[in-house]
Amino acid sequence: MSENIESVLHEERVFNPPEAFAANARIDKARLAELHEKAEKDYEGFWGDLAREEIDWHKPFTRILDDSNAPHFEWFNDGELNVSYNCIDRHLETRGDKAAIIWESDEGDSLTITYKDLHDRVAQFANALKAQSIEKGDRVVIYMPMVPEAVVAMQACARIGAIHSVVFGGFSAEALRDRINDAGAKMVITADAGKRGGRTVPLKKQADTAMEHGCPSIEKMVVYRRAEGDVHMEDGRDVWWHDAIDGQSTECAPEIVDAEHPLFLLYTSGSTGKPKGVQHASAGYLLNAALTNKWVFDLHDDDVFWCTADVGWITGHTYIAYGPLAVGATQVMFEGVPTYPDGGRFWKVCQDHGVTVFYTAPTAIRALMKLGEDIPRNYDLSRLRLLGTVGEPINPEAWMWYHEVIGGGRCPIVDTWWQTETGAHMIAPIPGAEPTKPGSCTTALPGIMADVVDDDGNSVDPDHGGYLVIKKPWPSMLRTVWNNEARFRSSYWEKFDNKYYLAGDSARRDRDGYFWIMGRIDDVLSVSGHRLGTMEIESALVSHEKVAEAAVVGRPHDVKGEAVVAYVICKGDRPTGDEAEAMTKALRDWVTQEIGPIAKPDDIRFTEGLPKTRSGKIMRRLLRSIAKGEEITSDTSTLENEEIIPQLQGKA
Ligand code: WT7
């Protein structure tokens, strides 16, 4: 992205915070101005005050930001705390009988877990982990369905200072194995199977395959029984969850850790190589998780919050497993999918549990919008007061539908920009204080110094595209890429000399300073709101015995955001007809097996060559245009093999 990125989106509508909402909001205009001013004038003091207010410290900190080892910034690093204590124990006196989690299963049963119950479950499982010889600093991989035990397992790790790494249940055995090995995990916590949309997902079987393919660091596997199916239990290695907790006490003193003690790893796609193990630290992460649940979701004691993300993604960490608990909220956790048993499921869950604050992804909104407004109109959505989105830019049409049909025109929409690496919301409206514009994630939160800059790091003029950066460290920033210092530096810090954090997105700001995200600057696709590295999918394809070379690009897709298009060169002759069809199926299955169904190419096009420059680089921009079906207007004479274009277009 060296030439300037021109922006094409123009959206003029502005929605002011509804008066009724603003009247009760935690942060009003005056308070917001005060927070911004404090952050500008006394950056460290701003974060220090908030850290003292929001967190219960075992030992108070005296240092706020330590930048002596930049870009490894540290926060509050002489303080001590326990994150699980802050999410659970500190609420017991005032909120012990309050619902922490209202879980609804795929089949429609529900279960309420109070803060007291959660405490007992977490403490008991924490003791079980210790009994299975998990110690502070050990890595534990969690590969679970959306059951409360997933949160219990995460909180139990935090309680004893073990470092969890949740792997999304939709990832394949191979993807699971790679993450286990990179993390050097000692234990996997999984379930016999998961239930999603009426189907059974064989998690234990996949975990077994991962073990067979080599996970030398794994000593134990804990298996939660969800589906009552038959699974293999390996003698000496595997133990049922119910057996592991049997006889364990429901008291477990939280392990006090340093503020910077790693809380978790979470793997995310990058443009090159394997997924990166993004490492977060305890106190800083907890602070932004708690704050954004108050500032952006405006959570009050009587709210019922529902974030529809899976715990396998960062959204499910910050807005299910940690943040809502840190602020003592009640939340819904849902095991199923939006369209099972029918397209009214989300709205039924909102109605049945009286959801007041609802957070989902644009891809889900678009999918449900396609089913028509009659479905949501059948449900009572009058309790909703705030709506949120995350994962990709929301198109104004979907924004308006969400606003009118779901929010009844009365609920502000918070479009929240952030990343696995940022830990919590960075750019998002404060709903009682800031006007919103459909398609814009609005402005940076207090203390988050986001900007759009050119190649030299200078702020660009309004309505010009550039690199989205964050100019000062913030508490919930990633601390490193696990086992890969070089990638930590090259992905985020080298571009702007360790001074600015490079988010990897392009963006523009309009004349009001509002941010509009334009897309990724690297070769990363956004499929249903999830980052997929094109390179990862390419490596999976070329690892198939019949594939010589592959290039993957994205094509706009009206529900998923982007669809995966793969250009594949096979060994031997280019397959055509039935042979091509069989090969397409084989490769789609192969990618599903290697990475998981979300990475499965939507289109596979067989070719005899890829468009390459004379220096041998694949011209991705050209492939993207071809995938979109655009006319090729740019000069292709610098290509080494111009004659391949008609074949790529399917014309030969
Ligand atoms: C990438 C981060 C953060 C949780 C979900 C995905 C895109 C995220 C928005 C938004 C436009 C967005 C960006 C970002 N993204 N939120 N509100 N508007 N784009 O987490 O997998 O780490 O992906 O998602 O491209 O860099 P992730």
Side-chain angles (χ1 to χ4, degrees):
M1 193 191 70
S2 44
E3 65 272 52
N4 52 349
I5 321 160
E6 286 315 322
S7 139
V8 286
L9 241 178
H10 284 288
E11 169 65 50
E12 305 288 345
R13 284 170 289 201
V14 175
F15 292 80
N16 285 308
E19 257 167 52
F21 187 96
N24 289 311
R26 274 181 181 270
I27 309 280
D28 62 11
K29 265 192 182 150
R31 174 74 182 135
L32 179 60
E34 207 176 276
L35 286 166
H36 278 301
E37 198 187 306
K38 169 95 176 159
E40 288 287 341
K41 282 196 181 138
D42 174 15
Y43 192 69
E44 289 197 32
F46 167 84
W47 287 117
D49 288 351
L50 291 168
R52 278 181 283 267
E53 282 162 27
E54 296 296 332
I55 295 177
D56 281 23
W57 294 90
H58 179 77
K59 180 180 154 230
F61 57 90
T62 64
R63 271 195 304 274
I64 299 171
L65 170 63
D66 181 347
D67 57 6
S68 58
N69 193 23
H72 297 278
F73 299 94
E74 298 193 350
W75 287 87
F76 323 114
N77 63 5
D78 61 345
E80 293 174 6
L81 78 166
N82 179 276
V83 170
S84 170
Y85 175 90
N86 274 272
C87 292
I88 301 172
D89 305 49
R90 65 166 164 171
H91 304 308
L92 293 179
E93 217 170 280
T94 50
R95 300 187 176 94
D97 296 325
K98 178 178 173 173
I101 296 174
I102 302 167
W103 179 69
E104 181 163 317
S105 74
D106 194 45
E107 296 97 337
D109 307 312
S110 54
L111 169 75
T112 297
I113 298 174
T114 65
Y115 274 91
K116 174 80 177 78
D117 298 334
L118 185 63
H119 168 271
D120 293 355
R121 288 173 182 236
V122 168
Q124 191 174 42
F125 192 65
N127 286 325
L129 290 176
K130 289 202 261 186
Q132 302 293 329
S133 20
I134 295 299
E135 293 171 4
K136 179 178 165 185
D138 286 344
R139 274 82 62 211
V140 173
V141 162
I142 299 176
Y143 184 60
M144 294 275 273
M146 282 290 285
V147 291
E149 284 70 17
V151 173
V152 168
M154 292 162 82
Q155 285 284 340
C157 286
R159 196 165 189 91
I160 65 171
I163 304 167
H164 63 68
S165 177
V166 183
V167 176
F168 173 53
F171 277 127
S172 68
E174 302 310 312
L176 173 64
R177 179 203 55 191
D178 292 346
R179 286 159 176 76
I180 288 172
N181 290 338
D182 190 78
K186 246 168 101 173
M187 175 186 276
V188 180
I189 303 171
T190 188
D192 52 354
K195 302 247 174 163
R196 267 172 68 82
R199 287 200 300 263
T200 302
V201 187
L203 293 171
K204 174 67 167 87
K205 211 171 129 224
Q206 279 162 190
D208 287 343
T209 307
M211 297 305 116
E212 280 160 30
H213 294 185
C215 292
S217 58
I218 293 293
E219 292 169 12
K220 292 279 161 146
M221 178 150 25
V222 176
V223 186
Y224 175 69
R225 182 174 276 154
R226 169 67 187 99
E228 308 291 337
D230 258 353
V231 293
H232 164 76
M233 293 293 279
E234 180 87 9
D235 253 357
R237 182 193 71 194
D238 299 352
V239 45
W240 287 105
W241 177 294
H242 52 263
D243 291 333
I245 61 173
D246 189 36
Q248 295 293 344
S249 157
T250 53
E251 291 299 329
C252 172
E255 174 86 24
I256 304 304
V257 300
D258 292 343
E260 282 294 313
H261 182 68
L263 180 63
F264 64 82
L265 310 181
L266 187 58
Y267 284 82
T268 191
S269 297
S271 55
T272 52
K274 297 180 304 182
K276 300 177 275 199
V278 168
Q279 189 229 298
H280 281 285
S282 300
Y285 172 79
L286 177 67
L287 176 58
N288 285 108
L291 276 176
T292 51
N293 274 279
K294 289 185 175 175
W295 288 356
V296 180
F297 291 138
D298 191 48
L299 291 186
H300 288 66
D301 230 5
D302 56 355
D303 272 314
V304 178
F305 176 62
W306 180 23
C307 164
T308 69
D310 191 280
V311 290
W313 311 115
I314 190 68
T315 311
H317 285 56
T318 312
Y319 301 105
I320 296 176
Y322 290 105
L325 300 176
V327 303
T330 292
Q331 68 176 317
V332 170
M333 180 177 183
F334 175 52
E335 183 178 35
V337 299
T339 47
Y340 178 81
D342 57 50
R345 187 65 185 274
F346 267 14
W347 319 128
K348 185 170 186 334
V349 171
C350 284
Q351 165 189 282
D352 292 354
H353 300 294
V355 172
T356 60
V357 179
F358 177 68
Y359 190 36
T360 196
T363 175
I365 299 169
R366 286 192 297 264
L368 296 172
M369 181 171 89
K370 280 204 149 183
L371 305 178
E373 13 190 295
D374 288 349
I375 299 178
R377 298 239 190 264
N378 283 330
Y379 298 92
D380 176 7
L381 300 175
S382 62
R383 296 283 306 276
L384 287 172
R385 64 181 199 91
L386 178 63
L387 303 172
T389 74
V390 60
E392 59 183 307
I394 180 166
N395 47 312
E397 188 199 358
W399 196 101
M400 290 306 299
W401 186 84
Y402 199 29
H403 181 68
E404 278 162 18
V405 178
I406 305 306
R410 71 183 178 276
C411 307
I413 295 180
V414 289
D415 176 345
T416 59
W417 179 87
W418 61 298
Q419 309 177 291
T420 304
E421 295 87 340
T422 70
H425 301 156
M426 297 283 107
I427 308 178
I430 302 290
E434 273 180 295
T436 56
K437 303 183 187 188
S440 166
C441 49
T442 74
T443 65
L445 296 177
I448 303 301
M449 304 308 182
D451 197 3
V452 178
V453 302
D454 64 18
D455 269 297
D456 302 319
N458 301 312
S459 302
V460 300
D461 290 337
D463 289 328
H464 284 265
Y467 300 96
L468 180 59
V469 295
I470 304 177
K471 291 180 158 177
K472 276 181 191 272
W474 67 98
S476 63
M477 69 199 306
L478 82 163
R479 297 306 195 260
T480 192
V481 172
W482 190 254
N483 271 336
N484 208 333
E485 165 79 15
R487 254 183 115 191
F488 172 66
R489 290 177 179 269
S490 64
S491 305
Y492 309 109
W493 299 102
E494 268 163 17
K495 172 91 188 158
F496 295 111
D497 301 327
N498 293 345
K499 272 179 60 196
Y500 298 165
Y501 167 81
L502 177 73
D505 283 358
S506 57
R508 72 173 168 101
R509 301 181 76 170
D510 66 18
R511 285 172 198 283
D512 300 324
Y514 277 43
F515 287 83
W516 299 77
I517 307 298
M518 294 160 59
R520 298 285 306 179
I521 58 175
D522 49 17
D523 290 321
V524 170
L525 307 182
S526 170
V527 179
S528 302
H530 302 302
R531 269 154 80 176
L532 291 176
T534 52
M535 169 96 174
E536 258 170 281
I537 308 174
E538 286 163 6
S539 326
L541 286 166
V542 296
S543 70
H544 188 278
E545 54 174 10
K546 290 193 179 141
V547 174
E549 222 184 320
V552 166
V553 294
R555 165 167 56 75
H557 184 281
D558 61 354
V559 174
K560 298 201 287 188
E562 277 185 288
V564 178
V565 181
Y567 292 89
V568 173
I569 305 176
C570 286
K571 290 177 188 158
D573 288 340
R574 172 186 176 211
T576 52
D578 287 351
E579 208 193 328
E581 218 167 283
M583 191 65 191
T584 299
K585 179 166 184 324
L587 290 179
R588 285 165 55 96
D589 290 348
W590 179 256
V591 173
T592 303
Q593 180 194 314
E594 293 295 301
I595 307 175
I598 51 167
K600 186 166 67 183
D602 295 83
D603 271 359
I604 296 183
R605 302 188 189 171
F606 297 104
T607 170
E608 284 161 336
L610 293 167
K612 288 195 180 162
T613 61
R614 279 170 216 278
S615 64
K617 268 193 165 174
I618 296 176
M619 285 259 273
R620 288 175 178 281
R621 198 166 355 130
L622 186 69
L623 279 181
R624 275 193 288 268
S625 300
I626 295 172
K628 275 197 238 173
E630 286 173 355
E631 281 301 312
I632 308 299
T633 49
S634 59
D635 180 15
T636 54
S637 60
T638 55
L639 279 186
E640 206 195 51
N641 50 350
E642 211 179 346
E643 70 289 346
I644 201 71
I645 293 179
Q647 204 182 83
L648 295 165
Q649 289 171 317
K651 293 183 186 159

